[in-house]
Amino acid sequence: MKDTENHTLSFDEFDEKINPRPEECDFDRIVEAALSRRGFLGGVLAFGSFAAVGGSLVPGVAKAASDRFAFDQIGTSVADDVVVPAGYKAEILVRWGDPMWSDAPEFDHATRGTAASQERAFGDNTDGMDVFSHNGKTLLVVNNEYTNRDILWGNNPDAKPASDDDIAKGMMAHGVSVVEIANTDGKWHIVKDSPYNRRITPKTEMAITGPAAGHDLMKTDADPNGTKTLGTWNNCGNGTTPWGTYLACEENFNGYFSSSEDVQDDNPKSITPAMKRYGVNTSDWGYGWAKIDERFDVAKHPNEPNRVGYVVEIDPTDPTSTPKKRTALGRFKHENAEAVVNNDGRVVIYMGDDERGEFLYRYVSDGVYAPGVDTNELMEKGTLSVAKFNANGTGTWVALTPESTGMASQAEIQIHTRQAASAVGATTMDRPEWVAANPNVAEVYCCLTNNKNRGVKPNAGGDDTSVNGPNPREKNNYGQIVRWRPDGGDHTLPGFTWDLYVLAGNPTVHSDAYRGSANVNADNMFNSPDGLAFDDNGLLWIQTDGSYKNEGDFAGQGNNQMLAGDPVTGEIRRFLVGPKECEVTGLTWSPDRRTMFVGIQHPGERGDSHWPEGGESVPRSAIIAVTREDGGLVG
Ligand code: FEO
Ligand code: CA
Ligand code: CA
Ligand code: CA
């Protein structure tokens, strides 16, 4: 297994290696065409009129301060600390490795724990999360997305696993943490030994439900029926259902598989085109899981990758419940799952596939939701569609069916969802990250984080990725946020209109389209919007996962950050800046809305942070509790 060969490569570099840019092909001519179009769009966007790219839902620049922001904008920061506005404070709620039961040890900075200690402790790389009230208790459910080699194994030579237990420790740091939290004397903390506490890991038994359950592509030696599987991993963003369950979304699941066979096209155990579409390759991304569990060896178990890449429904109120992989919502690199109840009661779930040039999806249930109804089939029976955006500001949801895709069965569409979406000519996007629905109006937003391949090379399925309406800049370093309004305010109809809420950029470096839209200025600029959530007041919170180089294209943008946007005026203000080399991701509120919980993921991913404990401590992902010093509402 060549699992450590790519040890020093970033995910981007790994992607380049397995999907190199063609030496020279038709694509170079497409780039030329994209460049000339950019000239037109760039000029328009630079001056803040969105008419050419959409329905001009955004009025021009909003300069005047609006009453909707209850804080003064803060500056950028490169400090190894969390910065919040005057009148607010940020305190630690829980960190990677904090024991969730009293039989587990405190985090050991010298060894960074063991597989056994990690299985009883809060997972690593906090990401999507939500809070649930149940029987007078407050339950926090959090995705633990992945691990960073240099942090997890930084005590070993070359930051590589030195034993099988090191690999297993990494595995146990993945999954989902369910933990009761409480506020005592004004300070939030986790409740050790709560009967609700639960670690869901890559070893937890899960049910496979929906159209793909039982299909031949889902069957393995260990599960000849194709209806149950072990575990979930690389859970990125999240969702919450109207009936109070949690949705964990499986994103870069491919990076954990490897092959014990060499790649040769005539080798029956080779990597198949279907695996390649999802980035499954002979080498993993350094996690080494196939060394301790052969189900991650695709030469031995070629259907295992088909059993991950889904949305997983978890009942946080029952620690004995079996999580359900909901194949009706499709298989791709799921970012989050934003559920809304349509006017007629049907449940609509919007979802992005976060990879360069992949797509944006919508699921509509057949049945209707009402309090007390049996909800099991609402994510079993329904229609999965993919978005097509037109340059004139309109768009259509195209249902993925055997008829529309030419594929053999609905089960196959739910498993090979990317291929189905390519077959109907869906619009290639600049990495769809979180989707968030406006609570005040039928309007939905999605972060398109960045796409250096836009106009440079096709997606993994070979689809053209020339610039298009909502993705108007080639080699897009900065990202943008697209939004759409369903026709007639009905989320189940095929038609919608769209525009761009913001094009991120750097007006201190660029004067063309890369300067950003008119609601971006030298004081609020950012790059790579990723996390996205509305608060109850209808403010849009934007979290970034971008470059923190603070030089060149990113000069003056500092560490990753969180901003708030007014969807009506377009105004955007910076609220929080994270410590060094972190991503800010995951956002939810206490039931009384007086605390905002924010995730700080992988501080020091390149070795330059000791947050939150300082000194020479190991940097640790953590959730912070942000409150107002006057005890007021924060969302
Ligand atoms: Fe895990 Fe697309 O971020
Ligand atoms: Ca993300
Ligand atoms: Ca991201
Ligand atoms: Ca990250």
Side-chain angles (χ1 to χ4, degrees):
M1 227 76 38
K2 292 173 287 183
D3 58 325
T4 52
E5 182 180 289
N6 300 298
H7 186 83
T8 56
L9 299 182
S10 71
F11 293 167
D12 270 359
E13 291 161 341
F14 186 85
D15 172 69
E16 281 302 320
K17 191 175 151 189
I18 63 171
N19 281 316
R21 182 178 185 234
E23 296 267 314
E24 192 177 321
C25 68
D26 278 355
F27 232 77
D28 294 301
R29 286 189 285 281
I30 295 168
V31 171
E32 288 306 308
L35 275 172
S36 52
R37 268 197 284 166
R38 189 202 78 201
F40 169 67
L41 287 177
V44 171
L45 290 166
F47 297 102
S49 161
F50 291 79
V53 292
S56 65
L57 296 174
V58 175
V61 197
K63 262 206 153 202
S66 111
D67 295 332
R68 305 188 67 187
F69 296 93
F71 63 91
D72 293 327
Q73 170 158 280
I74 62 169
T76 55
S77 166
V78 294
D80 195 22
D81 207 352
V82 171
V83 183
V84 291
Y88 287 77
K89 63 177 193 282
E91 297 173 306
I92 301 291
L93 169 65
V94 63
R95 303 160 294 196
W96 163 47
D98 280 343
M100 289 165 49
W101 290 270
S102 50
D103 62 5
E106 291 295 324
F107 182 78
D108 180 346
H109 284 259
T111 64
R112 304 162 197 220
T114 62
S117 70
Q118 181 62 74
E119 197 170 357
R120 303 288 281 167
F122 190 74
D124 199 0
N125 274 25
T126 178
D127 208 316
M129 60 177 155
D130 209 348
V131 162
F132 298 83
S133 296
H134 177 68
N135 285 350
K137 308 288 188 189
T138 305
L139 308 180
L140 176 70
V141 189
V142 187
N143 292 344
N144 299 115
E145 189 185 27
Y146 65 106
T147 55
N148 304 81
R149 292 156 281 193
D150 291 342
I151 298 174
L152 181 73
W153 299 317
N155 52 320
N156 292 340
D158 302 324
K160 289 182 179 175
S163 65
D164 285 357
D165 193 71
D166 276 347
I167 295 173
K169 171 171 68 176
M171 187 185 270
M172 290 302 107
H174 284 70
V176 178
S177 298
V178 183
V179 62
E180 185 182 336
I181 58 173
N183 190 311
T184 307
D185 298 331
K187 205 167 160 59
W188 286 99
H189 57 91
I190 66 168
V191 178
K192 270 189 201 175
D193 303 318
S194 163
Y196 295 103
N197 288 0
R198 183 182 191 186
R199 277 305 319 280
I200 293 168
T201 72
K203 289 185 165 177
T204 304
E205 186 168 309
M206 316 228 149
I208 297 170
T209 81
H215 189 272
D216 282 350
L217 286 166
M218 301 295 267
K219 295 174 180 169
T220 63
D221 294 346
D223 173 30
N225 295 324
T227 55
K228 60 182 186 184
T229 186
L230 291 182
T232 186
W233 56 91
N234 213 289
N235 303 98
C236 189
N238 69 297
T240 300
T241 63
W243 49 94
T245 56
Y246 181 81
L247 302 176
C249 304
E250 297 177 335
E251 193 189 24
N252 291 302
F253 63 87
N254 56 307
Y256 301 80
F257 292 99
S258 56
S259 174
S260 54
E261 297 271 331
D262 281 342
V263 164
Q264 301 156 20
D265 284 342
D266 56 352
N267 181 344
K269 292 184 174 176
S270 183
I271 301 295
T272 64
M275 290 181 193
K276 279 186 185 153
R277 182 65 198 270
Y278 287 87
V280 174
N281 207 272
T282 48
S283 303
D284 72 7
W285 287 354
Y287 298 106
W289 290 6
K291 278 192 175 163
I292 60 167
D293 187 343
E294 71 166 45
R295 69 190 162 109
F296 294 97
D297 179 351
V298 297
K300 295 192 175 111
H301 302 286
N303 281 348
E304 281 291 356
N306 295 335
R307 293 147 62 84
V308 61
Y310 297 102
V311 171
V312 183
E313 185 180 16
I314 295 167
D315 179 358
T317 68
D318 179 3
T320 66
S321 59
T322 303
K324 295 179 172 128
K325 295 209 174 186
R326 296 296 194 182
T327 69
L329 276 56
R331 175 171 168 265
F332 42 90
K333 293 186 179 178
H334 280 280
E335 183 70 23
N336 82 331
E338 178 75 341
V340 293
V341 178
N342 195 50
N343 288 336
D344 62 3
R346 280 184 285 172
V347 178
V348 178
I349 304 176
Y350 291 103
M351 301 169 286
D353 180 355
D354 179 11
E355 187 170 308
R356 299 182 189 98
E358 291 296 338
F359 310 121
L360 184 65
Y361 295 87
R362 183 191 72 176
Y363 170 83
V364 179
S365 67
D366 288 350
V368 298
Y369 170 73
V373 304
D374 181 354
T375 56
N376 188 52
E377 291 202 334
L378 292 177
M379 289 196 294
E380 297 261 297
K381 294 185 174 162
T383 304
L384 185 66
S385 302
V386 69
K388 265 190 188 180
F389 290 83
N390 303 317
N392 67 358
T394 65
T396 314
W397 295 102
V398 182
L400 299 175
T401 64
E403 296 70 37
S404 69
T405 63
M407 287 167 71
S409 67
Q410 198 64 46
E412 206 177 309
I413 289 167
Q414 304 309 130
I415 298 166
H416 295 151
T417 307
R418 285 183 166 180
Q419 294 90 322
S422 287
V424 302
T427 300
T428 64
M429 308 296 284
D430 286 347
R431 297 186 53 199
E433 301 252 26
W434 293 50
V435 181
N438 189 331
N440 294 327
V441 58
E443 179 182 83
V444 191
Y445 292 64
C446 178
C447 288
L448 303 170
T449 194
N450 58 53
N451 183 359
K452 66 179 183 177
N453 292 346
R454 175 65 60 190
V456 176
K457 69 177 183 184
N459 71 7
D463 299 320
D464 180 301
T465 66
S466 308
V467 292
N468 60 42
N471 307 280
R473 295 175 297 184
E474 68 156 8
K475 295 178 188 164
N476 174 16
N477 262 344
Y478 294 118
Q480 63 268 12
I481 298 176
V482 64
R483 64 178 171 179
W484 60 94
R485 289 180 170 175
D487 287 352
D490 184 339
H491 288 279
T492 69
L493 290 179
F496 60 88
T497 54
W498 66 269
D499 78 348
L500 294 176
Y501 174 67
V502 63
L503 266 175
N506 193 328
T508 71
V509 174
H510 297 287
S511 54
D512 57 9
Y514 298 90
R515 78 183 288 286
S517 50
N519 49 351
V520 168
N521 54 58
D523 297 323
N524 72 357
M525 61 183 177
F526 60 96
N527 73 88
S528 305
D530 184 335
L532 197 65
F534 275 95
D535 66 22
D536 279 3
N537 294 322
L539 270 190
L540 178 66
W541 295 85
I542 305 163
Q543 301 175 316
T544 72
D545 171 23
S547 173
Y548 39 74
K549 281 183 194 150
N550 204 35
E551 60 182 35
D553 274 353
F554 309 102
Q557 300 194 336
N559 296 346
N560 276 306
Q561 54 185 288
M562 183 165 86
L563 311 99
D566 184 327
V568 177
T569 66
E571 185 186 0
I572 295 172
R573 282 193 202 177
R574 185 181 300 114
F575 175 79
L576 176 151
V577 182
K580 287 183 175 182
E581 300 179 352
C582 80
E583 167 186 348
V584 180
T585 183
L587 176 63
T588 189
W589 286 264
S590 61
D592 67 4
R593 301 271 150 181
R594 293 180 193 280
T595 304
M596 174 189 267
F597 298 107
V598 181
I600 303 295
Q601 191 190 58
H602 61 59
E605 65 172 348
R606 292 190 167 83
D608 188 22
S609 170
H610 296 284
W611 189 87
E613 291 155 279
E616 290 307 306
S617 64
V618 175
R620 295 163 75 186
S621 294
I623 295 173
I624 56 173
V626 179
T627 52
R628 286 178 64 97
E629 281 164 357
D630 65 7
L633 299 174
V634 292

